[in-house]
Amino acid sequence: MKRSSAAWALAGVVAGFAGIAVDYAVTEGANQASAIEAVAVFVRDHAPADLVNWARENHGKAITIPAIVVLLALFFGAVGRLARRRWWLGVLGFAVISAVGGAAVLAGNGATVAYLLPVALGFAVMTVAMALLGERLTRLQAVDDDDVFGEAWRGHRRDFLVVVGAVLGVAAVSTLVGRYLGRDEKAVEAEQEQLRLPVTPPVVPDGVRVEVDGVQPWMTPADDFYLIDTVFSKPAILAKEWKLRIHGMVEREIELTYNDLVTRAGVEAWITLNCVSNEIGGDLIGNAWWSGALLAPIIAEAGPLPGADCIKQTSHDGWDCATPLDTITDGRQAMLAIAMNGEPLPIEHGYPVRTIVPGLYGYVSATKWVVDMEITRFDDVEAYWTQRGWGELGPVKMASKIEVPANDDEVAAGEVVVAGTAWHQHTGIEGVEVQLDGGPWTPAELARVPNTDTWVQWRVALDVEPGDHQVTVRATDQAGEVQTSVRADVLPDGATGWHSVEFTAS
């Protein structure tokens, strides 16, 4: 260890992450984003569009913070080695990384100069810890070569390791304190238990299921409902603190509290939501019983001015989208939802309030944790995903999926039941057909649906000979349009094409 640069690198890593841990503890107590989360959000918002779109399809959000942590470890190790040469180089290195974190924090939604306090405390911890560790290493290095492993050398090494342990203890305690202070989710859960919302529990309508094992449930439980968002830490917002501002090109500005919204609540509907990133045959789709307040009367109360054609919605975390104004006012059950499947919205699904607009993909409409709506024009808006190459209007495209049999299944020859789901929200599905091995199209039996805004289950029995087979499905909507066979990627406005599965009959 006497001349080891690895020991200095270790000192830099230990000191650096002690500062990060202190920043985390303070930000959790202050209910604001940590520096690492702020940097992750900054990377998300400023990365090239191609990279962001790749990340959307490849779980990029899940690897962003771990990647930042790895880069920080490498940087802190380099800072420690620089401090071996000049003490001020270590201070400068920690100052640089703190400045990056501070800049990212200030770039966040609603950030003020006060948000820099945790970063400053973290920087102070880094520099003090590095000074203490560096002093012990310097003493250790000053021992003559002839005395290495002697009593003085062992004593200095022990002092160094004790300080390493103390700094690690500070980091561990700070992390535990941060986890304890970050009790916002528990506060939200306690609040949810006390809520008495004017909503009814879901009752799945008769006849909506085809009763075929393997077909996904017609009502999607909240825990199984797909999740797509850009946040690195789910906002834990108390309903009593929530407000929605409606402004912009309006005759009068409106501000609603949660209680205001609850008094307006009165709409409940089965609505299927699906993500624009859902590939043919994909599972980024779900159907739930949503409860809330109709959005159209609220917008009408604000009085949109002539020329307005969209609503710029903004989430608590700063994410935004632009929703066509006419999809809110054309009679569909667009709502500010407060409940999902008869219960207050789960945190991850937007508690306390999210927007639901049937017939639109979520990236242009289904804003979770919504806190701001600006009535404006598309010409004046640059929304988060449309800046990255996605379509502006986002109407849902017709799709159908085979769920039984699954791809590569082996079934008994003879009568084989093929079943699945189809959807074209706010238009509705009129018919579904399946094709076996390129042969004629066979009409499927459709289950019932309560409205045109949900998916529909279907089934058909086919006579199948032994051997390998392929079955394909297509739908026809209530406007008479037949689902296109043309394969298209999800970018820029949703996938198209027929879904097929291969199976073996024996």
Side-chain angles (χ1 to χ4, degrees):
M1 185 183 288
K2 179 175 183 298
R3 302 295 180 187
S4 175
S5 60
W8 285 90
L10 172 64
V13 170
V14 170
F17 280 110
I20 293 293
V22 168
D23 171 85
Y24 167 71
V26 178
T27 53
E28 286 296 305
N31 193 25
Q32 68 184 65
S34 69
I36 286 185
E37 289 176 342
V39 169
V41 170
F42 186 86
V43 170
R44 178 201 73 186
D45 291 345
H46 294 85
D50 289 344
L51 178 60
V52 174
N53 288 327
W54 175 89
R56 178 185 178 120
E57 308 302 325
N58 294 277
H59 306 288
K61 186 175 67 173
I63 65 175
T64 301
I65 289 182
I68 291 173
V69 170
V70 170
L71 291 175
L72 281 174
L74 295 174
F75 182 86
F76 289 148
V79 169
R81 296 181 67 174
L82 288 173
R84 177 188 183 189
R85 301 178 183 177
R86 298 285 188 276
W87 67 268
W88 57 268
L89 289 176
V91 175
L92 179 62
F94 289 131
V96 168
I97 201 65
S98 297
V100 171
V105 167
L106 287 179
N109 184 43
T112 65
V113 174
Y115 281 45
L116 294 179
L117 176 60
V119 178
L121 291 175
F123 169 69
V125 170
M126 291 177 188
T127 53
V128 170
M130 190 67 226
L132 294 173
L133 291 167
E135 181 183 8
R136 270 75 181 168
L137 280 176
T138 299
R139 292 176 185 173
L140 187 60
Q141 289 182 345
V143 175
D144 291 337
D145 290 344
D146 293 340
D147 293 330
V148 172
F149 302 118
E151 183 176 346
W153 183 89
R154 290 197 301 271
H156 291 318
R157 185 185 65 169
R158 183 172 57 252
D159 289 345
F160 171 70
L161 294 178
V162 167
V163 175
V164 167
V167 174
L168 288 175
V170 170
V173 170
S174 298
T175 301
L176 291 174
V177 168
R179 292 180 65 85
Y180 175 76
L181 292 176
R183 303 188 309 276
D184 298 324
E185 287 193 13
K186 294 181 180 178
V188 167
E189 291 167 359
E191 181 183 68
Q192 289 175 322
E193 291 179 358
Q194 300 299 316
L195 288 176
R196 298 295 180 266
L197 299 178
V199 303
T200 60
V203 177
V204 176
D206 292 338
V208 297
R209 294 173 289 203
V210 293
E211 307 297 349
V212 175
D213 289 341
V215 174
Q216 61 190 315
W218 188 81
M219 183 189 85
T220 309
D223 289 344
D224 297 333
F225 211 95
Y226 77 94
L227 286 169
I228 296 290
D229 52 56
T230 61
V231 295
F232 293 92
S233 179
K234 308 295 185 187
I237 308 166
L238 292 173
K240 62 184 179 182
E241 298 174 354
W242 176 88
K243 291 182 179 179
L244 173 66
R245 180 186 178 212
I246 301 175
H247 61 107
M249 297 177 62
V250 295
E251 295 176 355
R252 63 194 65 83
E253 184 171 318
I254 294 176
E255 186 173 86
L256 295 175
T257 67
Y258 189 76
N259 285 337
D260 292 335
L261 195 61
V262 169
T263 61
R264 294 169 180 258
V267 60
E268 297 185 289
W270 292 103
I271 298 173
T272 297
L273 301 182
N274 57 299
C275 181
V276 70
S277 296
N278 198 33
E279 298 180 346
I280 297 301
D283 58 3
L284 297 181
I285 184 169
N287 187 54
W289 176 244
W290 302 98
S291 308
L294 281 175
L295 189 50
I298 297 173
I299 299 301
E301 184 178 324
L305 297 177
D309 62 4
C310 82
I311 301 177
K312 180 184 177 183
Q313 302 188 53
T314 303
S315 172
H316 179 271
D317 68 306
W319 180 89
D320 58 21
C321 72
T323 307
L325 182 59
D326 60 4
T327 64
I328 305 299
T329 59
D330 65 359
R332 72 184 74 193
Q333 292 184 305
M335 72 174 79
L336 290 169
I338 58 175
M340 177 183 189
N341 291 340
E343 299 289 340
L345 290 172
I347 292 175
E348 60 270 22
H349 286 292
Y351 182 84
V353 181
R354 69 172 297 171
T355 311
I356 301 290
V357 183
L360 296 183
Y361 287 121
Y363 81 101
V364 298
S365 65
T367 307
K368 302 172 186 173
W369 316 290
V370 60
V371 295
D372 189 273
M373 289 186 170
E374 179 186 1
I375 313 302
T376 183
R377 292 184 291 259
F378 275 110
D379 289 345
D380 299 329
V381 174
E382 290 186 352
Y384 183 85
W385 283 115
T386 51
Q387 290 181 61
R388 290 158 176 81
W390 295 81
E392 188 172 68
L393 302 180
V396 168
K397 295 183 177 180
M398 180 171 22
S400 52
K401 179 170 67 169
I402 299 168
E403 296 164 11
V404 178
N407 208 41
D408 297 327
D409 268 1
E410 184 171 335
V411 301
E415 184 178 87
V416 174
V417 173
V418 181
T421 52
W423 58 91
H424 195 191
Q425 293 94 302
H426 201 57
T427 300
I429 297 296
E430 180 68 28
V432 172
E433 301 169 292
V434 296
Q435 182 187 59
L436 181 66
D437 299 329
W441 290 96
T442 301
E445 172 192 351
L446 298 187
R448 296 170 55 190
V449 289
N451 58 58
T452 61
D453 293 330
T454 71
W455 56 17
V456 58
Q457 294 187 355
W458 55 267
R459 59 167 288 163
V460 61
L462 301 177
D463 188 18
V464 178
E465 300 290 334
D468 295 332
H469 300 279
Q470 181 184 70
V471 63
T472 302
V473 63
R474 71 181 183 187
T476 300
D477 68 17
Q478 291 186 12
E481 178 185 356
V482 179
Q483 181 182 346
T484 180
S485 63
V486 177
R487 301 286 293 195
D489 190 19
V490 296
L491 189 67
D493 56 4
T496 63
W498 296 338
H499 183 224
S500 298
V501 300
E502 296 179 351
F503 67 95
T504 299
S506 59

